[in-house]
Amino acid sequence: MNSKTFAILPAGGCGQRTGLDIPKQYCDVLGRPLIVYTLESFQRLSWIEKILVAVSPEWEGHMTELIQRYKFTKVGLVNGGTSRHRSIQNGVRHLQDHILKGLGGAHLRENGKVSSEEEPVVIVHDAVRPFADEDILRKVALAAKEHGASGSVLPMVSTILESDPHDVLVQSLVRSTLRESHTPQAFQWSVLHHAYQKISEHDLDHGTEVLDLALKYTGCRAKLVEAPDYVWKVTYRKDLVAAESLAKVLWSEVYLINSDPLSSKVFNNLASCLASRNLKVSVVPTMPDAVRYVHTTVVLHSIKPAQEEATMKCEESLDALVSKPDCDGLLACMCHLQDDSDRTLGTYRRLAKRLDARGKDKRVLAFLVVYTTTQEKEQQTLSRVCEMTATLIFDRNPLMSGQLFVVSDRD
Ligand SMILES: C[C@](O)(CO)[C@H](O)COP(=O)(O)O
């Protein structure tokens, strides 16, 4: 993008439809508030200059705390309004007064568009759509540059019926010409600015669709861009469950640290178990730098090591993981034991507890899986160990952190 791009996120809603007592944008999904995922989608893009979030006054303190905790350097707050349009309007005013000073909006042509290459672009996106990726954000931004406005759409999954005030069918609409409107949407700055300058009090309180405002007040007909289905809006309680499942897949990266050639067989097996759960897996020789806010999993494997060596290796690796800035992850250690006597297992059990205690301060979960096997059953045991480790990684259940998991095929 060669023109400046900004984002406005209305986040003033109270989440009535979830039936929960906090607004859905602040609900916890895999250990962090939903809105954090949304903000991260924008923060990580170098071509986004500033992200303005419209929040209601009672949640301002909480949002300020989240901005600091997650180091969102581009995020600023504006007052949330009593309606979606009033919140977005506050964002537009803030852009005009503090960021795009003097750029009051270029002269619009008949069709609402501006031809200047440098015309800034503003993306409008709901805070409760956490999975907008770079591809769709870029597509709508580029389409807005060309067409003045653009919006993400999805095909209708059900037929729409028009009913009269007594719930009696009037007609069914032709589904093939209809589209569901979603966000992100993007606008040339002048289009958005004009629309919110001219908007009527009635539209401010009763409308929700910004594409509609652009058409009505500037004549700009938005380009509709087909979006991936995961841009859907978290609206009901069931959507929080779906968001959690998607976060596991879209926001997780697994690194298998293979520093020992003898571990290749184990890692190949584990990698295919993880890949079958749609997780992103890389086999790397050393500990990676933690990736910002992606749930990072690091898996280690040691082969029949001396007990002290294995425990030391696990502890060192956890320390390396927790010392990364912005670390937010999971450490899974797999150890192939020669002896599974009570004494040895006791040592590993204590190690699991220590790993858990150390990881707690830094939001790191630690799982320890040990196994012993006989030569005849090695393949079968390995498959079980890898399946179990993959399940632990996929579930990311904090209750499992600090537990010792033992797999043995001995009678
Ligand atoms: C569907 C929508 O109108 C697209 O612009 C928008 O997402 C509606 O948001 P609301 O918060 O449910 O009004």
Side-chain angles (χ1 to χ4, degrees):
M1 292 292 296
N2 49 6
S3 51
K4 291 190 175 218
T5 308
F6 303 92
I8 297 178
L9 272 57
C14 60
Q16 240 170 8
R17 287 174 282 185
T18 48
L20 298 168
D21 50 8
I22 61 166
K24 52 193 181 276
Q25 56 272 33
Y26 304 113
C27 286
D28 183 277
V29 172
L30 281 191
R32 67 183 73 155
L34 190 71
I35 193 168
V36 167
Y37 294 89
T38 318
L39 293 177
E40 184 52 29
S41 315
F42 287 87
Q43 169 77 37
R44 66 198 326 192
L45 303 181
S46 58
W47 49 275
I48 301 278
E49 304 262 326
K50 185 86 192 163
I51 307 148
L52 295 173
V53 188
V55 272
S56 52
E58 59 275 33
W59 287 93
E60 213 181 290
H62 184 62
M63 266 308 302
T64 306
E65 205 249 303
L66 292 181
I67 291 171
Q68 281 160 4
R69 190 187 327 153
Y70 290 95
K71 303 192 182 80
F72 287 129
T73 51
K74 298 184 194 173
V75 176
L77 300 182
V78 297
N79 284 338
T82 48
S83 68
R84 186 170 193 272
H85 279 329
R86 287 189 189 276
S87 289
I88 298 169
Q89 190 181 48
N90 289 345
V92 172
R93 282 185 179 146
H94 184 95
L95 272 179
Q96 187 191 11
D97 296 345
H98 302 281
I99 300 175
L100 296 174
K101 289 174 212 151
L103 250 186
H107 180 69
L108 296 181
R109 296 194 304 223
E110 266 301 272
N111 58 6
K113 287 189 269 177
V114 183
S115 48
S116 154
E117 255 300 297
E118 283 81 51
E119 177 72 7
V121 168
V122 183
I123 297 178
V124 174
H125 186 60
D126 296 321
V128 287
R129 297 180 190 262
F131 303 114
D133 54 20
E134 178 161 17
D135 187 51
I136 185 64
L137 290 169
R138 193 180 282 279
K139 276 184 182 151
V140 291
L142 290 174
K145 263 188 99 56
E146 192 182 335
H147 298 269
S150 77
S152 307
V153 292
L154 286 173
M156 304 293 305
V157 287
S158 295
T159 300
I160 302 289
L161 302 180
E162 187 185 338
S163 74
D164 73 7
H166 310 287
D167 292 334
V168 174
L169 178 70
V170 176
Q171 60 167 332
S172 76
L173 305 179
V174 182
R175 190 161 78 179
S176 58
T177 62
L178 298 172
R179 296 287 178 273
E180 278 181 18
S181 173
H182 291 261
T183 72
Q185 298 176 341
F187 303 86
Q188 286 184 339
W189 161 244
S190 301
V191 172
L192 195 67
H193 179 255
H194 279 245
Y196 277 101
Q197 268 201 326
K198 293 185 187 167
I199 187 171
S200 70
E201 285 298 306
H202 182 272
D203 282 348
L204 269 174
D205 288 326
H206 297 96
T208 52
E209 186 51 77
V210 191
L211 300 181
D212 212 27
L213 293 189
L215 179 62
K216 182 168 171 185
Y217 293 107
T218 75
C220 179
R221 284 154 57 89
K223 173 74 180 167
L224 305 181
V225 179
E226 177 128 1
D229 59 4
Y230 46 79
V231 300
W232 102 112
K233 185 169 50 167
V234 173
T235 306
Y236 301 106
R237 207 180 273 223
K238 69 175 167 56
D239 294 324
L240 284 169
V241 180
E244 181 152 320
S245 300
L246 262 180
K248 282 178 180 168
V249 174
L250 296 179
W251 285 85
S252 292
E253 283 179 2
V254 182
Y255 297 96
L256 309 180
I257 313 284
N258 191 359
S259 52
D260 187 338
L262 291 173
S263 294
S264 300
K265 198 163 142 194
V266 179
F267 280 150
N268 288 344
N269 201 323
L270 181 61
S272 67
C273 295
L274 292 163
S276 72
R277 288 163 173 81
N278 295 317
L279 293 178
K280 266 180 256 147
V281 191
S282 332
V283 182
V284 288
T286 51
M287 188 77 76
D289 282 334
V291 188
R292 261 185 74 98
Y293 308 131
V294 170
H295 294 284
T296 309
T297 304
V298 176
V299 181
L300 299 152
H301 179 248
S302 30
I303 308 159
K304 298 180 185 167
Q307 203 166 284
E308 299 74 38
E309 203 186 304
T311 53
M312 238 167 64
K313 198 170 158 192
C314 289
E315 295 198 310
E316 271 171 17
S317 307
L318 181 81
D319 284 342
L321 182 61
V322 295
S323 65
K324 305 266 177 209
D326 307 321
C327 159
D328 190 340
L330 184 155
L331 174 75
C333 299
M334 297 162 78
C335 297
H336 185 174
L337 302 184
Q338 261 169 329
D339 107 80
D340 58 357
S341 64
D342 285 351
R343 196 161 154 270
T344 303
L345 291 181
T347 309
Y348 279 93
R349 200 163 282 121
R350 285 190 291 280
L351 171 64
K353 296 276 169 251
R354 285 206 302 280
L355 293 179
D356 181 49
R358 297 254 272 284
K360 268 210 169 80
D361 308 337
K362 290 281 280 185
R363 307 193 306 276
V364 176
L365 309 178
F367 305 142
L368 192 52
V369 183
V370 295
Y371 65 103
T372 50
T373 179
T374 53
Q375 219 169 11
E376 318 80 76
K377 296 193 186 156
E378 195 186 343
Q379 195 46 48
Q380 187 191 330
T381 308
L382 205 58
S383 301
R384 275 174 58 206
V385 173
C386 292
E387 270 304 331
M388 190 165 120
T389 308
T391 305
L392 286 169
I393 292 170
F394 186 78
D395 285 351
R396 311 190 75 87
N397 187 337
L399 279 179
M400 302 295 189
S401 182
Q403 298 299 317
L404 176 68
F405 300 89
V406 184
V407 178
S408 169
D409 59 27
R410 297 225 171 98
D411 295 330

